[in-house]
Amino acid sequence: MARAKISSVGQYVPPRLLTNADLEKMVETNDQWITERTGIRERHLVDKGVATSDLAAEAARECLAKRGIEASELDAILIATVTPDMLFPATACLVQEKIGAKGAWGFDLSAACSGFIYALQVGAKLVESGAHKKVMVVGADVMSSILDYTDRSTCILFGDGAGAVLLEPCGEGEIGLVDFEHEIDGSGAQSLYMPGGGSLHPPTAETVAAKMHFVHQEGGAVYKVAVRKMAELSETLLNRNGLTASDIDLFIPHQANKRIILATAERLGMPEEKIVINIGEYGNTTAATIPLAMHTALEQERLKKGMTVLLASFGGGYTVGATLLRWEI
């Protein structure tokens, strides 16, 4: 069985910024309060008419350009998102058309902030099975489309963005993706969710008036479970592979809140110098945070060939995931 590896990384964030100072004019909050509690200083937002497929397509194009291949060489496109352009067709179909990947099939995967890690494993299995040679995995969300900018508990947290990776078979001597551990817990579904817009509560004047088409979150409950579960799944993964935190060269966690990141790392015994944190510049971009953090680590020359890397995520659902890999770029 062929092993899969990440062979290229791309990203795209819209140019418009929403800073903490801007938010001070919109809701009752201030820069110090936001920074101390979340680590976020600014976030990128789309302009009107820009959709998730637009961000995903740009990230995919950069990923392809860095690899030096054409979109026509792709076998499949997997889009992790909770903000699809529309319920159907899948955002993957729209991205396929926009980048000209005529020979590719694909689909969307909805797992909130764990979406990228889940899609990464699905894509890896397509490669490992021998069915495909080149699979594009994109995490993309336009969270500003489902935020209530009068609700300071949520509007300060999220931004818009997309990150993409290309999966290919490992070459001789390469290891690539090693192992993963995933878990869902539906008992936490209503601690982080968007109640309106689906078959349970289809869009009506009443659901709009009740603000059911925005993100709803119980921050305290999410914080406690996120730290515990990301650490637990990471420990399970490390133990199963005979590793400890000291064997990890770089930890790339979901960027939900700086305090969550540091608390998780502390439980794992992971020193801060091994952690990639870019939430200050992007906020929580949901499915895009981990590939955006990969891109940041590459730009900072902190992510190098041969490194052992741990990914971890937590999202609404609840969804939790951890991935162990060897970096091969």
Side-chain angles (χ1 to χ4, degrees):
M1 184 178 69
R3 298 186 73 101
K5 67 175 181 179
I6 293 173
S7 61
S8 185
V9 181
Q11 74 155 18
Y12 181 77
V13 291
R16 183 161 66 98
L17 289 176
L18 181 70
T19 67
N20 290 349
D22 296 326
L23 283 166
E24 288 178 357
K25 303 169 187 175
M26 299 166 62
V27 292
E28 187 179 344
T29 191
N30 60 73
D31 174 67
Q32 182 179 356
W33 190 90
I34 297 171
T35 303
E36 287 179 354
R37 284 162 178 77
T38 70
I40 303 169
R41 299 186 300 276
E42 60 189 23
R43 64 290 288 149
H44 294 253
L45 301 186
V46 300
D47 291 323
K48 186 177 181 180
V50 177
T52 294
S53 67
D54 297 313
L55 305 189
E58 290 293 339
R61 289 188 188 105
E62 181 180 276
C63 186
L64 290 167
K66 287 185 173 179
R67 180 65 178 87
I69 65 171
E70 299 296 324
S72 58
E73 298 181 50
L74 293 177
D75 298 304
I77 301 169
L78 312 185
I79 307 292
T81 187
V82 290
T83 57
D85 288 25
M86 57 199 80
L87 286 178
F88 65 91
T91 304
C93 296
L94 307 178
V95 173
Q96 180 263 349
E97 171 67 15
K98 287 179 178 181
I99 67 175
K102 296 300 183 183
W105 71 289
F107 55 89
D108 293 357
L109 189 153
S110 177
C113 299
S114 296
F116 175 78
I117 277 189
Y118 285 17
L120 186 68
Q121 289 303 327
V122 174
K125 298 311 172 189
L126 291 174
V127 172
E128 290 171 2
S129 71
H132 293 322
K133 297 295 185 184
K134 292 179 173 60
V135 177
M136 180 70 70
V137 178
V138 185
D141 274 299
V142 176
M143 293 302 294
S144 60
S145 67
I146 57 172
L147 290 178
D148 177 3
Y149 281 95
T150 67
D151 176 10
R152 71 171 186 174
S153 68
T154 56
C155 74
I156 66 170
L157 299 174
F158 295 95
D160 304 334
V165 301
L166 182 65
L167 292 173
E168 297 187 74
C170 285
E172 186 176 351
E174 294 181 328
I175 295 175
L177 274 71
V178 176
D179 198 2
F180 72 98
E181 183 74 16
H182 292 167
E183 181 180 309
I184 62 172
D185 179 5
S187 68
Q190 294 190 6
S191 293
L192 178 52
Y193 73 129
M194 187 179 78
S199 60
L200 179 61
H201 300 293
T204 63
E206 289 74 23
T207 64
V208 172
K211 297 187 175 183
M212 294 175 68
H213 301 273
F214 294 131
V215 174
H216 292 244
Q217 175 175 275
E218 295 177 21
V222 171
Y223 179 94
K224 292 175 184 177
V225 180
V227 172
R228 177 171 58 84
K229 295 306 296 184
M230 281 205 297
E232 282 181 4
L233 265 68
S234 295
E235 288 172 343
T236 296
L237 188 58
L238 293 174
N239 291 338
R240 188 164 65 227
N241 288 274
L243 301 174
T244 66
S246 62
D247 296 308
I248 300 301
D249 297 306
L250 206 61
F251 178 43
I252 305 180
H254 167 54
Q255 309 285 307
N257 180 305
K258 188 175 181 180
R259 292 195 300 171
I260 290 176
I261 293 170
L262 293 179
T264 301
E266 183 178 1
R267 286 198 177 204
L268 291 171
M270 195 81 65
E272 191 168 347
E273 59 267 22
K274 286 188 176 183
I275 313 168
V276 180
I277 303 176
N278 67 356
I279 191 171
E281 294 73 42
Y282 299 113
N284 182 352
T285 55
T286 306
T289 67
I290 288 177
L292 285 178
M294 287 178 178
H295 197 279
T296 294
L298 287 168
E299 287 184 328
Q300 296 174 348
E301 298 184 344
R302 296 179 62 195
L303 189 51
K304 300 176 182 179
K305 185 175 177 63
M307 281 188 164
T308 301
V309 180
L310 176 66
L311 315 177
S313 67
F314 178 88
Y318 294 129
T319 61
V320 197
T323 298
L324 184 66
L325 61 92
R326 181 71 59 85
W327 197 254
E328 301 293 0
I329 302 176

